[in-house]
Amino acid sequence: EAGVAQSPRYKIIEKRQSVAFWCNPISGHATLYWYQQILGQGPKLLIQFQNNGVVDDSQLPKDRFSAERLKGVDSTLKIQPAKLEDSAVYLCASGLLGSPYNEQFFGPGTRLTVL
Amino acid sequence: AQSVTQPDIHITVSEGASLELRCNYSYGATPYLFWYVQSPGQGLQLLLKYFSGDTLVQGIKGFEAEFKRSQSSFNLRKPSVHWSDAAEYFCAVFTGNQFYFGTGTSLTVIP
């Protein structure tokens, strides 16, 4: 079974530039999550989708971050404009709808460096 | 507010020695508890989880964890560490609404 795919794996941009990350979840997984993991910290949930609807985006900085999940499969996370403090690894995870344990399967992440 | 505390930022153990990684949580009800491992450049992999029942849970790679309600703890253990266990370990709690992760414990294994 293929895992969660993310691209690019690494990205370096200058502050005030824009950047987008892509995630392809495991086939059949209805829930999709984006996390931000700053160096030395645990992952922090940014947004959670169920199919193509947003379940929770309370910690998403909406003035600069946006995410979408068209057709309930792939998802993109965008930052515009980027700030230095956005340097982090962005993790995508997916899970089965209705899983009683809400188990998530994580992708390898995208490491973003903002200069 | 919900929180997860991993008091040890970094631990070094000798190969073959036993290991215990500490995790404390703050949550009003019984949470769902997880341990994940993250190798360099990799995503998080689930080691084990606790939801109810037996408070000692077995996971993959020879790991186990014990839920102690009185101490609000969910410590991870392994009787004999292998060099391949060197990684970052995260404790997490699911409150029924959202996941909260600890800050992680980095494990170094020396020969």
Side-chain angles (χ1 to χ4, degrees):
Chain A
E1 177 182 84
V4 176
Q6 291 188 247
S7 68
R9 293 294 310 276
Y10 305 91
K11 189 73 176 178
I12 301 174
I13 62 173
E14 295 188 348
K15 60 183 179 182
R16 292 187 289 272
Q17 285 187 321
S18 301
V19 65
F21 313 127
W22 174 82
C23 172
N24 187 306
I26 293 173
S27 178
H29 281 192
T31 57
L32 186 147
Y33 313 79
W34 282 102
Y35 288 86
Q36 180 191 59
Q37 186 178 15
I38 293 173
L39 185 65
Q41 299 181 20
K44 183 185 80 171
L45 180 68
L46 293 176
I47 188 167
Q48 176 185 344
F49 291 95
Q50 184 168 298
N51 295 312
N52 59 349
V54 176
V55 173
D56 184 351
D57 64 355
S58 57
Q59 299 196 80
L60 186 73
K62 298 180 185 63
D63 58 334
R64 297 184 301 106
F65 286 65
S66 65
E68 60 181 9
R69 191 184 184 198
L70 300 176
K71 302 180 181 179
V73 182
D74 294 6
S75 177
T76 56
L77 176 69
K78 297 180 182 178
I79 307 175
Q80 180 179 6
K83 293 185 175 181
L84 296 177
E85 59 261 36
D86 298 331
S87 293
V89 175
Y90 291 84
L91 295 167
C92 179
S94 69
L96 289 168
L97 180 64
S99 168
Y101 309 126
N102 207 52
E103 183 171 347
Q104 301 175 59
F105 298 84
F106 285 83
T110 296
R111 181 177 297 277
L112 173 67
T113 301
V114 182
L115 304 176
Chain B
Q2 298 85 356
S3 69
V4 181
T5 302
Q6 293 180 248
D8 304 306
I9 297 174
H10 185 251
I11 285 182
T12 299
V13 299
S14 299
E15 191 168 15
S18 63
L19 171 71
E20 182 170 30
L21 303 182
R22 296 182 291 167
C23 173
N24 293 94
Y25 67 89
S26 172
Y27 180 57
T30 300
Y32 296 162
L33 296 162
F34 303 79
W35 274 100
Y36 285 86
V37 61
Q38 185 177 35
S39 298
Q42 303 296 314
L44 281 73
Q45 181 184 20
L46 181 66
L47 285 175
L48 46 78
K49 55 185 181 283
Y50 171 79
F51 303 111
S52 64
D54 192 346
T55 57
L56 185 64
V57 294
Q58 302 297 321
I60 63 172
K61 304 184 179 184
F63 285 93
E64 66 178 26
E66 186 172 12
F67 170 60
K68 292 185 177 180
R69 185 189 304 276
S70 61
Q71 298 177 19
S72 297
S73 69
F74 188 57
N75 294 348
L76 182 71
R77 300 194 294 250
K78 186 170 184 177
S80 178
V81 170
H82 188 262
W83 64 266
S84 60
D85 293 325
E88 189 87 14
Y89 291 81
F90 292 93
C91 181
V93 58
F94 179 67
T95 63
N97 185 38
Q98 191 175 127
F99 260 87
Y100 295 90
F101 284 84
T103 52
T105 297
S106 177
L107 175 65
T108 297
V109 181
I110 56 177

